[in-house]
Amino acid sequence: IGILWAWLPIWCGVLLWQAAEAAEKARMGNDALEFEQCLRKVKTIVTMFGIVAIISIAFSFLGFLFVFFTGGLAILSEYMSNL
């Protein structure tokens, strides 16, 4: 699963490079189609980072639940037995 996660920054770098080239071509040639291509690539990057953020939040929440229900309940039961 690490290799699936590791290719995201590489892909984002390639997309950012392509978006920068398209923006430069659009500025130099006053080309609306190149500018539209640049915006599509930026949209893809923003969408991808949004999805990664949502997945990260979900995994963090699942990790919190796991720690709470395994370690938290053990600590709670130990506390209750000492009462």
Side-chain angles (χ1 to χ4, degrees):
I1 211 139
I3 195 73
L4 294 175
W5 199 256
W7 65 272
L8 284 173
I10 296 169
W11 186 28
C12 284
V14 170
L15 284 175
L16 282 172
W17 185 270
Q18 291 173 348
E21 286 181 346
E24 185 178 1
K25 287 179 186 176
R27 186 181 63 86
M28 292 294 207
N30 205 12
D31 188 5
L33 292 176
E34 285 290 333
F35 186 67
E36 183 181 340
Q37 181 182 7
C38 169
L39 291 180
R40 276 193 307 241
K41 291 193 184 296
V42 171
K43 176 187 171 264
T44 302
I45 294 167
V46 171
T47 303
M48 191 167 49
F49 277 123
I51 291 170
V52 167
I54 290 170
I55 291 171
S56 298
I57 290 169
F59 277 131
S60 297
F61 183 70
L62 289 175
F64 168 76
L65 289 178
F66 177 76
V67 168
F68 178 75
F69 284 117
T70 56
L73 291 179
I75 291 171
L76 183 63
S77 67
E78 183 179 325
Y79 174 74
M80 294 300 282
S81 67
N82 289 335
L83 290 177

